[in-house]
Structure formats: structure tokens, C-alpha cells
Amino acid sequence: MINNESVAATNMTTAFFCHEIFEAHDTGPGHPERPERLRAIKRVISSSTFDPLILREAPKSTLQQIAMVHDLDYAEKLMDLIPASGWSRIDPDTVMCPETGEATLRAVGAVIEAVDGVIAGAFDNAFCAVRPPGHHAEPEHGMGFCFFNNAAIAARHAQQAHGLERVAIVDFDVHHGNGTQAAFRGDSSVFFASSHQYPFYPGTGAIDEVGVGNIVNVPLEAGSGSKDFRDGWSSKIFPALEAFQPEFLVISAGFDAHARDPLASLNLEAEDFSWITRKLLEVSGNKLNGRIVSCLEGGYDLVGLGEGVDAHLSELMGFGH
Ligand SMILES: [Zn+2]
């Protein structure tokens, strides 16, 4: 099963996890984290370019699996808050409808099955087109459109179900992944790195937040573009990621650093999402046999999101543009 370092140079088999319930998670009128985001992604993969994708339906996770990262008490209380009709909210932006409970369980189920599939060799890597997103969800509470931390649970699952010792999570969403950092800031077995607009929501992600030496934050000023982004990853994150020598890589893939995004003020273009994905494949192809699971986080301009996912998936599949 263990291959050689040529994995990243060839076409990869890539799984695409989704489920119709992710479009039923309705956050209410005018909310940027909306079902149309997934429809934009589905339009992208309807191109024949993406015919080789292995399409998978996301299964439901259990609350016990979610408890690898979150307090079981929080998870149970959240399920009790799901409304029978209309909406309920855990903060002004983080909204639940009747279908949200199943969507959260299937979002976690997607990343868990993606990890299982990559480790079993059923496919080389996977992209999980899930809603709700996860990287703002801390172990004891959700926030910022997020309820359960899909990426963090994927990393823990790789450790606890498959015995991997060292797992890395990288996050190129425009917002800092405070939830992921909170889950692992005292745990040297998980590496977490993020580039993000700073200062900005959620307020964390300063350069001096380093955990136990396992966390790298690259804050970027509003208005930063391709050069600052690539310099930050090249000078700070990739060397630390390679030094960590992970056995598995989880990506928090947010596309809201795109120049068109209405929520933030970084100026990335589609080619930057190709670049970051290609570089991560180089690291993983050379060091960990290409074992990558990528989870959708943000991205609120439908054109920018579509371009970003197109670029990211193309690289994951090994043919780029
Ligand atoms: Zn974001």
C-alpha cells in the first residue's frame, strides 16, 4: 500500500463527498453561508473535466465520533436545540433549521469516511463538499456558522481509528481557524497552520499563538494578495509542516480569501488556490504518500467559490490547469 515519491506526479483518484442534506441546511434570508454555495460547486463538477471524480454520499457520524473533539454534553445540547420548524441560533450568525442536525452529522461523517477511504487506499485523496463548515467550532461551543469541527474530527479519527501518530491540519480560509487551534493547542501530536486576514473575525491567530510549538499562524493585513500569501506559506508554514513530518494531512479549504469575496479583504485569485494545493500535494506526495482529506470551509462569492474549488479539485486530481 505504501507507494513511492512519484505519487504527486501522476493522476490521482479523488473522492468527492457530498449529500443533498447539505443544501437543506437553511440559514435564513440574506445569510452568506447559504445553500447556493453547494449548487455553485456542483455546477463546477458537472464539467466533463471532473468525470473521474469518485462521487460518494456522506454517511451520518455518531455523537461518540464527534466527542473525539467536542464535549459530548455540547453535542447533545446542540441536537436538543434543533428547531421543529423555523430557525434557532447559537449566536447571531450561527443558525439552525430542522435539517441542520442531520447536515452536521453527515458533514462529520463525510470527513470520517474520507479518512477511512484514503487510508484504505480506496482513493488517493478526497474533497468533502460539506455544509455547515467547521473550523470556528471550538470543543465546547460552536460559532461563526460552524457547529462541529469537521477538520479537527478528521485528524483525531486518523489518530484514534487508524493509529497514526502525527497529523497536520492546514487552513487557508480567510478567517483564522480558532476552533481547530483550540482543539490542539496543547497537543504536540497535531500540527495546525493557518494564513488569514488579521486583525479580523474571530480575533485569534496572532503570530505569537504557537501552542506547544505545534501551531503556526501567518496573519495577513487587509489588502494582501498573492505575494504576501505565497511568501507566508513558503517562509513559515511549509518548512514547519515538513519538519513536523505528518503521516496524514487535513486541509481546511476556505475560498473566502478570493478577491471577489464580500466578507473579507484579501485578494487571492484562482491561480493562488491552484498553487497552494499543488504545494501541499508536493509536501504530502513526497512525505506521506499523498494522503490528504480536504474539507470545505468558507467562500461566499459564488463565482470566486466556483473558481477556487475548480482550481483546488483540479490539482487534487493531479491534472491542474
Ligand atoms: Zn472563512
Side-chain angles (χ1 to χ4, degrees):
M1 198 171 81
I2 302 299
N3 240 313
N4 59 39
E5 67 270 16
S6 68
V7 170
T10 58
N11 276 4
M12 314 278 277
T13 53
T14 299
F16 180 91
F17 282 81
C18 202
H19 193 280
E20 61 188 17
I21 197 72
F22 299 148
E23 288 180 50
H25 167 54
D26 175 6
T27 46
H31 199 292
E33 204 293 280
R34 60 206 192 277
E36 288 82 354
R37 299 179 62 231
L38 278 192
R39 287 176 211 139
I41 291 172
K42 286 182 177 172
R43 276 197 298 279
V44 166
I45 69 156
S46 69
S47 154
S48 60
T49 309
F50 295 104
D51 285 351
L53 282 174
I54 299 167
L55 303 181
R56 290 287 176 94
E57 285 231 309
K60 273 192 202 175
S61 67
T62 64
L63 290 184
Q64 284 66 37
Q65 288 173 313
I66 289 165
M68 287 188 285
V69 165
H70 294 279
D71 286 0
L72 186 57
D73 189 47
Y74 159 65
E76 288 173 344
K77 281 187 177 144
L78 191 77
M79 290 297 144
D80 290 342
L81 282 172
I82 306 288
S85 63
W87 291 281
S88 59
R89 53 197 73 218
I90 60 171
D91 71 26
D93 298 328
T94 310
V95 185
M96 298 190 290
C97 73
E99 289 78 17
T100 300
E102 183 181 346
T104 59
L105 296 179
R106 289 194 189 275
V108 172
V111 303
I112 285 177
E113 193 152 297
V115 168
D116 291 344
V118 168
I119 290 177
F123 33 81
D124 293 309
N125 56 41
F127 180 70
C128 300
V130 298
R131 293 181 61 246
H135 73 152
H136 294 308
E138 300 199 355
E140 293 162 12
H141 66 96
M143 58 183 273
F145 317 160
C146 302
F147 301 93
F148 298 134
N149 195 315
N150 307 313
I153 294 168
R156 271 291 183 247
H157 179 70
Q159 292 183 312
Q160 294 188 4
H162 298 284
L164 302 190
E165 291 180 359
R166 302 170 69 77
V167 179
I169 305 172
V170 295
D171 185 330
F172 57 76
D173 188 278
V174 81
H175 302 98
H176 182 239
N178 61 291
T180 315
Q181 177 169 296
F184 301 116
R185 68 181 143 221
D187 181 348
S188 62
S189 73
V190 178
F191 173 90
F192 175 64
S194 171
S195 66
H196 42 272
Q197 185 175 330
Y198 185 88
F200 197 48
Y201 184 89
T204 50
I207 203 162
D208 61 355
E209 295 169 26
V210 297
V212 287
N214 62 323
I215 289 168
V216 178
N217 281 303
V218 174
L220 299 169
E221 286 179 20
S224 298
S226 175
K227 183 175 188 310
D228 294 320
F229 176 77
R230 296 186 190 203
D231 284 352
W233 281 85
S234 296
S235 67
K236 300 274 183 2
I237 297 179
F238 293 135
L241 176 61
E242 295 207 57
F244 180 76
Q245 299 188 313
E247 297 165 281
F248 199 98
L249 179 64
V250 178
I251 303 176
S252 269
F255 300 92
D256 41 9
H258 192 286
R260 292 178 57 100
D261 198 90
L263 296 197
S265 306
L266 295 190
N267 290 310
L268 300 192
E269 302 288 350
E271 176 50 34
D272 296 305
F273 296 110
S274 298
W275 177 85
I276 185 73
T277 311
R278 206 157 53 234
K279 298 294 285 185
L280 290 169
L281 275 166
E282 281 172 23
V283 173
S284 69
N286 292 337
K287 306 283 189 207
L288 53 135
N289 305 299
R291 298 200 296 194
I292 292 180
V293 167
S294 178
C295 317
L296 178 66
E297 302 285 0
Y300 305 101
D301 176 83
L302 299 184
V303 173
L305 175 63
E307 286 181 2
V309 170
D310 188 330
H312 184 57
L313 268 179
S314 296
E315 296 294 340
L316 284 179
M317 295 167 78
F319 48 74
H321 278 289

